Short mmCIF file of all heavy atoms in Angstrom, two decimals:
data_model
loop_
_atom_site.label_atom_id
_atom_site.label_comp_id
_atom_site.label_asym_id
_atom_site.label_seq_id
_atom_site.Cartn_x
_atom_site.Cartn_y
_atom_site.Cartn_z
N LEU F 103 59.92 -168.44 128.26
CA LEU F 103 60.97 -168.26 127.27
C LEU F 103 60.80 -166.86 126.70
O LEU F 103 59.70 -166.49 126.27
CB LEU F 103 60.84 -169.30 126.15
CG LEU F 103 61.84 -169.16 124.99
CD1 LEU F 103 63.26 -169.50 125.46
CD2 LEU F 103 61.45 -170.05 123.82
N LYS F 104 61.86 -166.08 126.73
CA LYS F 104 61.81 -164.71 126.21
C LYS F 104 62.84 -164.56 125.10
O LYS F 104 63.96 -165.04 125.23
CB LYS F 104 62.10 -163.70 127.33
CG LYS F 104 61.07 -163.70 128.45
CD LYS F 104 61.41 -162.66 129.51
CE LYS F 104 60.33 -162.61 130.60
NZ LYS F 104 60.62 -161.58 131.63
N HIS F 105 62.45 -163.89 124.03
CA HIS F 105 63.42 -163.59 122.99
C HIS F 105 62.97 -162.41 122.14
O HIS F 105 61.79 -162.05 122.12
CB HIS F 105 63.72 -164.81 122.11
CG HIS F 105 62.54 -165.47 121.47
ND1 HIS F 105 61.69 -164.83 120.59
CD2 HIS F 105 62.07 -166.74 121.57
CE1 HIS F 105 60.77 -165.67 120.17
NE2 HIS F 105 60.94 -166.82 120.76
N TYR F 106 63.91 -161.81 121.44
CA TYR F 106 63.62 -160.71 120.54
C TYR F 106 63.19 -161.25 119.18
O TYR F 106 63.51 -162.38 118.82
CB TYR F 106 64.85 -159.80 120.39
CG TYR F 106 65.28 -159.19 121.70
CD1 TYR F 106 66.35 -159.70 122.43
CD2 TYR F 106 64.58 -158.11 122.24
CE1 TYR F 106 66.73 -159.14 123.65
CE2 TYR F 106 64.95 -157.54 123.46
CZ TYR F 106 66.03 -158.07 124.15
OH TYR F 106 66.39 -157.52 125.36
N ALA F 107 62.48 -160.40 118.41
CA ALA F 107 61.93 -160.92 117.16
C ALA F 107 61.96 -159.95 115.98
O ALA F 107 61.63 -160.35 114.87
CB ALA F 107 60.48 -161.38 117.39
N ASN F 108 62.32 -158.70 116.19
CA ASN F 108 62.32 -157.74 115.07
C ASN F 108 63.67 -157.02 114.99
O ASN F 108 64.11 -156.47 116.01
CB ASN F 108 61.19 -156.72 115.23
CG ASN F 108 61.09 -155.77 114.05
OD1 ASN F 108 60.92 -156.19 112.92
ND2 ASN F 108 61.23 -154.47 114.31
N PRO F 109 64.32 -157.03 113.80
CA PRO F 109 63.91 -157.73 112.59
C PRO F 109 64.15 -159.24 112.74
O PRO F 109 65.15 -159.66 113.33
CB PRO F 109 64.79 -157.12 111.51
CG PRO F 109 66.02 -156.65 112.24
CD PRO F 109 65.55 -156.23 113.61
N LEU F 110 63.24 -160.01 112.19
CA LEU F 110 63.28 -161.46 112.40
C LEU F 110 64.59 -162.08 111.95
O LEU F 110 65.17 -162.92 112.66
CB LEU F 110 62.10 -162.11 111.67
CG LEU F 110 61.94 -163.62 111.91
CD1 LEU F 110 61.59 -163.89 113.36
CD2 LEU F 110 60.89 -164.20 110.98
N ASP F 111 65.10 -161.66 110.78
CA ASP F 111 66.32 -162.31 110.27
C ASP F 111 67.55 -162.01 111.13
O ASP F 111 68.56 -162.70 111.05
CB ASP F 111 66.57 -161.93 108.81
CG ASP F 111 66.69 -160.42 108.58
OD1 ASP F 111 66.66 -159.66 109.57
OD2 ASP F 111 66.81 -160.01 107.41
N HIS F 112 67.45 -160.99 111.98
CA HIS F 112 68.56 -160.67 112.89
C HIS F 112 68.58 -161.59 114.11
O HIS F 112 69.64 -161.90 114.65
CB HIS F 112 68.46 -159.21 113.34
CG HIS F 112 69.59 -158.76 114.22
ND1 HIS F 112 70.81 -158.37 113.72
CD2 HIS F 112 69.68 -158.67 115.57
CE1 HIS F 112 71.62 -158.05 114.73
NE2 HIS F 112 70.95 -158.22 115.85
N TRP F 113 67.38 -162.04 114.55
CA TRP F 113 67.27 -162.75 115.81
C TRP F 113 66.97 -164.24 115.67
O TRP F 113 67.28 -165.01 116.58
CB TRP F 113 66.16 -162.12 116.67
CG TRP F 113 66.42 -160.71 117.06
CD1 TRP F 113 65.75 -159.59 116.64
CD2 TRP F 113 67.42 -160.24 117.97
NE1 TRP F 113 66.27 -158.46 117.21
CE2 TRP F 113 67.30 -158.83 118.04
CE3 TRP F 113 68.41 -160.86 118.73
CZ2 TRP F 113 68.12 -158.05 118.84
CZ3 TRP F 113 69.23 -160.08 119.53
CH2 TRP F 113 69.09 -158.70 119.57
N VAL F 114 66.36 -164.65 114.57
CA VAL F 114 65.78 -166.00 114.51
C VAL F 114 66.83 -167.10 114.65
O VAL F 114 66.53 -168.19 115.18
CB VAL F 114 64.95 -166.17 113.21
CG1 VAL F 114 65.86 -166.26 111.98
CG2 VAL F 114 64.03 -167.38 113.32
N ASP F 115 68.06 -166.84 114.24
CA ASP F 115 69.09 -167.87 114.33
C ASP F 115 69.49 -168.17 115.77
O ASP F 115 70.14 -169.20 116.04
CB ASP F 115 70.34 -167.48 113.54
CG ASP F 115 70.12 -167.56 112.03
OD1 ASP F 115 69.13 -168.21 111.62
OD2 ASP F 115 70.91 -166.96 111.27
N SER F 116 69.12 -167.28 116.70
CA SER F 116 69.43 -167.53 118.11
C SER F 116 68.28 -168.22 118.84
O SER F 116 68.42 -168.59 120.00
CB SER F 116 69.78 -166.21 118.82
OG SER F 116 68.67 -165.32 118.80
N TRP F 117 67.14 -168.39 118.17
CA TRP F 117 65.99 -169.04 118.78
C TRP F 117 66.23 -170.54 118.92
O TRP F 117 67.11 -171.11 118.26
CB TRP F 117 64.75 -168.83 117.91
CG TRP F 117 64.19 -167.45 117.90
CD1 TRP F 117 64.72 -166.31 118.45
CD2 TRP F 117 62.97 -167.05 117.26
NE1 TRP F 117 63.91 -165.24 118.21
CE2 TRP F 117 62.83 -165.65 117.48
CE3 TRP F 117 61.99 -167.71 116.53
CZ2 TRP F 117 61.74 -164.93 116.99
CZ3 TRP F 117 60.90 -167.00 116.05
CH2 TRP F 117 60.78 -165.63 116.27
N PRO F 118 65.42 -171.22 119.75
CA PRO F 118 65.54 -172.68 119.86
C PRO F 118 65.34 -173.37 118.51
O PRO F 118 64.47 -172.97 117.72
CB PRO F 118 64.40 -173.04 120.83
CG PRO F 118 64.14 -171.80 121.61
CD PRO F 118 64.41 -170.66 120.68
N THR F 119 66.15 -174.38 118.24
CA THR F 119 65.98 -175.18 117.02
C THR F 119 65.14 -176.42 117.28
O THR F 119 64.80 -177.15 116.36
CB THR F 119 67.34 -175.60 116.44
OG1 THR F 119 68.09 -176.28 117.47
CG2 THR F 119 68.13 -174.38 115.99
N GLN F 120 64.81 -176.63 118.55
CA GLN F 120 63.90 -177.71 118.94
C GLN F 120 62.78 -177.11 119.77
O GLN F 120 63.06 -176.26 120.61
CB GLN F 120 64.63 -178.80 119.77
CG GLN F 120 65.69 -179.55 118.99
CD GLN F 120 65.10 -180.42 117.91
OE1 GLN F 120 64.01 -180.97 118.07
NE2 GLN F 120 65.79 -180.53 116.78
N PRO F 121 61.53 -177.48 119.55
CA PRO F 121 61.06 -178.43 118.53
C PRO F 121 61.37 -177.96 117.12
O PRO F 121 61.56 -176.75 116.88
CB PRO F 121 59.56 -178.50 118.79
CG PRO F 121 59.23 -177.23 119.49
CD PRO F 121 60.41 -176.87 120.31
N ALA F 122 61.38 -178.89 116.18
CA ALA F 122 61.90 -178.63 114.83
C ALA F 122 61.15 -177.52 114.10
O ALA F 122 61.74 -176.81 113.29
CB ALA F 122 61.85 -179.93 114.01
N THR F 123 59.86 -177.35 114.37
CA THR F 123 59.08 -176.34 113.65
C THR F 123 58.97 -175.02 114.41
O THR F 123 58.24 -174.12 113.99
CB THR F 123 57.66 -176.86 113.37
OG1 THR F 123 57.01 -177.16 114.63
CG2 THR F 123 57.68 -178.12 112.51
N TYR F 124 59.71 -174.90 115.52
CA TYR F 124 59.54 -173.71 116.36
C TYR F 124 59.82 -172.41 115.60
O TYR F 124 59.01 -171.48 115.62
CB TYR F 124 60.46 -173.79 117.60
CG TYR F 124 60.27 -172.60 118.52
CD1 TYR F 124 59.31 -172.62 119.52
CD2 TYR F 124 61.04 -171.44 118.36
CE1 TYR F 124 59.10 -171.52 120.34
CE2 TYR F 124 60.85 -170.33 119.18
CZ TYR F 124 59.88 -170.38 120.17
OH TYR F 124 59.67 -169.28 120.97
N THR F 125 60.98 -172.35 114.93
CA THR F 125 61.35 -171.08 114.30
C THR F 125 60.38 -170.70 113.19
O THR F 125 60.05 -169.52 113.02
CB THR F 125 62.78 -171.14 113.74
OG1 THR F 125 62.90 -172.26 112.86
CG2 THR F 125 63.79 -171.26 114.86
N LYS F 126 59.90 -171.68 112.45
CA LYS F 126 58.97 -171.38 111.36
C LYS F 126 57.63 -170.88 111.91
O LYS F 126 57.10 -169.85 111.48
CB LYS F 126 58.76 -172.60 110.48
CG LYS F 126 57.84 -172.33 109.29
CD LYS F 126 57.71 -173.53 108.38
CE LYS F 126 56.80 -173.20 107.18
NZ LYS F 126 56.65 -174.35 106.27
N LYS F 127 57.07 -171.63 112.88
CA LYS F 127 55.75 -171.27 113.40
C LYS F 127 55.79 -169.96 114.19
O LYS F 127 54.94 -169.08 114.00
CB LYS F 127 55.21 -172.40 114.28
CG LYS F 127 54.78 -173.63 113.49
CD LYS F 127 54.30 -174.74 114.42
CE LYS F 127 53.82 -175.93 113.61
NZ LYS F 127 53.45 -177.07 114.51
N MET F 128 56.77 -169.82 115.07
CA MET F 128 56.84 -168.60 115.88
C MET F 128 57.27 -167.42 115.03
O MET F 128 56.83 -166.28 115.26
CB MET F 128 57.79 -168.79 117.07
CG MET F 128 57.60 -167.78 118.19
SD MET F 128 55.92 -167.79 118.93
CE MET F 128 55.93 -169.42 119.71
N GLY F 129 58.11 -167.67 114.03
CA GLY F 129 58.53 -166.60 113.14
C GLY F 129 57.38 -166.05 112.31
O GLY F 129 57.25 -164.83 112.14
N THR F 130 56.53 -166.94 111.80
CA THR F 130 55.36 -166.51 111.04
C THR F 130 54.45 -165.64 111.90
O THR F 130 53.99 -164.57 111.47
CB THR F 130 54.58 -167.73 110.53
OG1 THR F 130 55.41 -168.47 109.63
CG2 THR F 130 53.30 -167.32 109.80
N TYR F 131 54.22 -166.08 113.13
CA TYR F 131 53.37 -165.33 114.05
C TYR F 131 54.00 -163.97 114.37
O TYR F 131 53.32 -162.94 114.35
CB TYR F 131 53.15 -166.14 115.32
CG TYR F 131 52.32 -165.42 116.37
CD1 TYR F 131 50.95 -165.28 116.22
CD2 TYR F 131 52.92 -164.89 117.51
CE1 TYR F 131 50.19 -164.62 117.18
CE2 TYR F 131 52.17 -164.24 118.47
CZ TYR F 131 50.80 -164.11 118.30
OH TYR F 131 50.05 -163.44 119.24
N ALA F 132 55.30 -163.97 114.66
CA ALA F 132 55.99 -162.72 115.05
C ALA F 132 55.87 -161.66 113.96
O ALA F 132 55.62 -160.49 114.24
CB ALA F 132 57.46 -163.01 115.36
N VAL F 133 56.05 -162.07 112.71
CA VAL F 133 55.99 -161.11 111.59
C VAL F 133 54.58 -160.54 111.46
O VAL F 133 54.40 -159.33 111.25
CB VAL F 133 56.45 -161.79 110.28
CG1 VAL F 133 56.11 -160.92 109.07
CG2 VAL F 133 57.95 -162.08 110.33
N GLU F 134 53.56 -161.39 111.58
CA GLU F 134 52.19 -160.91 111.46
C GLU F 134 51.82 -159.98 112.62
O GLU F 134 51.12 -158.98 112.45
CB GLU F 134 51.21 -162.09 111.37
CG GLU F 134 51.35 -162.89 110.08
CD GLU F 134 50.17 -163.81 109.80
OE1 GLU F 134 49.05 -163.53 110.29
OE2 GLU F 134 50.37 -164.82 109.09
N ILE F 135 52.30 -160.29 113.81
CA ILE F 135 52.01 -159.45 114.98
C ILE F 135 52.76 -158.11 114.89
O ILE F 135 52.22 -157.07 115.27
CB ILE F 135 52.39 -160.20 116.28
CG1 ILE F 135 51.41 -161.34 116.51
CG2 ILE F 135 52.38 -159.26 117.48
CD1 ILE F 135 49.98 -160.92 116.80
N GLN F 136 53.98 -158.14 114.39
CA GLN F 136 54.72 -156.89 114.21
C GLN F 136 53.98 -155.97 113.24
O GLN F 136 53.85 -154.75 113.49
CB GLN F 136 56.14 -157.19 113.69
CG GLN F 136 56.95 -155.98 113.25
CD GLN F 136 57.38 -155.06 114.39
OE1 GLN F 136 57.14 -155.35 115.55
NE2 GLN F 136 57.99 -153.95 114.05
N ARG F 137 53.45 -156.53 112.17
CA ARG F 137 52.69 -155.73 111.21
C ARG F 137 51.43 -155.15 111.87
O ARG F 137 51.11 -153.97 111.69
CB ARG F 137 52.30 -156.60 110.01
CG ARG F 137 51.59 -155.83 108.90
CD ARG F 137 51.42 -156.68 107.65
NE ARG F 137 50.57 -157.84 107.89
CZ ARG F 137 50.96 -159.11 107.74
NH1 ARG F 137 52.20 -159.37 107.34
NH2 ARG F 137 50.14 -160.11 107.97
#
Side-chain angles (χ1 to χ4, degrees):
L103 177 69
K104 296 181 177 181
H105 55 61
Y106 299 101
N108 184 57
L110 185 66
D111 58 4
H112 183 81
W113 297 111
V114 72
D115 288 344
S116 62
W117 289 8
T119 55
Q120 295 292 325
T123 60
Y124 182 88
T125 54
K126 182 176 181 180
K127 288 178 178 176
M128 198 59 67
T130 297
Y131 178 74
V133 168
E134 292 196 26
I135 290 294
Q136 171 69 4
R137 184 171 63 240

